[in-house]
Amino acid sequence: MVTALSTPNIAFIKYWGNRNAELRLPATDSLSMTLDSPTVEVTIEPADRFSVQSQKELSPKEVERFKKHLELTNIYLHSLHYSLPTTNYSLTVRSKIPPAIGLASSAAVFSAVAKAYAALLEEQDIRLTDEQVSILARLGSGSAARSIIGGFVALQTTHYSLQTDAIDSAIAVQIAPASHWPLHDIVICPSLQEKEHGSTEGHHLAHTSPHYAERLLQIPRRQQECIDAILGGDFEKLQKVAEEDAWDLHQVAKTSTPSLQYLTEDTHRITREVTALREAEHVAVLYTMDAGPTVHLVCTEDAVDAVKEFAHAQKDCTVFETKVWSGARMVEAAHA
Ligand code: DP6
């Protein structure tokens, strides 16, 4: 039996659309910061048949996703001439993340699952690199690849391999460790209701938006600006490029057919108020939104008290206080 723990990440340059949906090979690079909470723990043990347990009842489609992930995991491991010790497993997922609120729960879950499969291999003295484990995570959820690694992480997909449909042609790499820049992410969730359309659906529909082609052209420039901003510790530069990319993603989602409207009136109000706070009091804070109404307020150490005060003053919202951290880990070694 092995247990691994992981967490969400928040993307500054967002993954939206695949060049290969089955293998979750993203159409573009993306870049995020790995968060210290809320945590997800996954325990995996050999079993007679495949099963997944979690606090909430999983639909057959959700169970199928874990099964498919194991299938792809085996294909990738065989390409490395490795294999997991047995055929079937029982997975137990313990999550502190409210599902489907744009807080990257699939990223935390599949990065923990990938790390746990890697732990099973360690029982056979096979040690995968972080990049290899990021591929395992990506096969379950694209953004999960980034949560394997700590700090500031790029999911590189365009420069890595000449064989663009190869299973290993998108990997996560660290841009800078967590210690490089102690940023916080104060997360405001206006609603804990499950969203109607998951990001998997959004990825499928991305190409139906008339804005998507332009997005694909802009991402390499944004990705580079974001890397430069992080390496140079330039918060204003990070703020500008992250907000530009977030609005662009939501423009693509809204103009897809059918239209995907993840943002609500509360989201728009909060982003307006944050902009006013930043301008009036020179608070180093940026906002960004994934596939849901949740607003992430990323800020510097100096700004965090003001940002927390702002977040907790929001009526009827759930607030998570998170910080950059060092990435997924095994929490329980296999017993002999
Ligand atoms: C908007 O990784 O959740 O959060 O591979 O279908 O699980 P699946 O998609 P997912 O997509 C993330 C979309 C995003 C942007 C991001 O995190 O990069």
Side-chain angles (χ1 to χ4, degrees), residues 11 14-16 24 65 106 141-143 146 199-200 203 290-291:
K14 298 188 191 283
Y15 150 49
W16 201 245
R24 290 189 152 79
R65 182 168 175 178
S106 67
S141 173
S143 58
R146 300 184 310 239
S199 22
T200 306
H203 294 303
D290 283 342

Side-chain angles (χ1 to χ4, degrees), residues 62-132:
E62 286 169 315
V63 176
E64 197 44 46
R65 182 168 175 178
F66 285 92
K67 221 170 167 174
K68 177 79 189 170
H69 177 243
L70 175 58
E71 213 179 276
L72 293 170
T73 293
N74 281 321
I75 291 172
Y76 174 58
L77 292 176
H78 288 163
S79 77
L80 301 173
H81 307 289
Y82 300 145
S83 55
L84 290 171
T86 64
T87 317
N88 281 317
Y89 291 95
S90 153
L91 275 59
T92 306
V93 179
R94 291 177 298 275
S95 174
K96 300 216 169 108
I97 308 178
I101 54 161
L103 196 58
S105 60
S106 67
V109 169
F110 280 100
S111 51
V113 171
K115 200 76 187 168
Y117 284 137
L120 285 173
L121 289 174
E122 288 202 2
E123 286 183 334
Q124 308 172 66
D125 287 330
I126 298 166
R127 209 168 272 273
L128 298 182
T129 64
D130 279 353
E131 290 180 2
Q132 289 171 328

Side-chain angles (χ1 to χ4, degrees), residues 223-244:
Q223 180 83 356
Q224 192 54 52
E225 279 182 20
C226 192
I227 292 172
D228 293 346
I230 288 164
L231 294 179
D234 184 340
F235 192 85
E236 199 179 333
K237 189 171 184 153
L238 182 65
Q239 176 239 313
K240 291 214 158 77
V241 74
E243 292 181 3
E244 176 189 329

Side-chain angles (χ1 to χ4, degrees), residues 2-7 38-44 53 55 91-96 108-109 112-113 116 329 331-332:
V2 290
T3 298
L5 177 146
S6 192
T7 52
T39 54
V40 171
E41 267 188 20
V42 172
T43 298
I44 298 190
Q53 286 75 241
Q55 301 105 308
L91 275 59
T92 306
V93 179
R94 291 177 298 275
S95 174
K96 300 216 169 108
V109 169
V113 171
R329 59 198 54 183
V331 288
E332 205 174 286

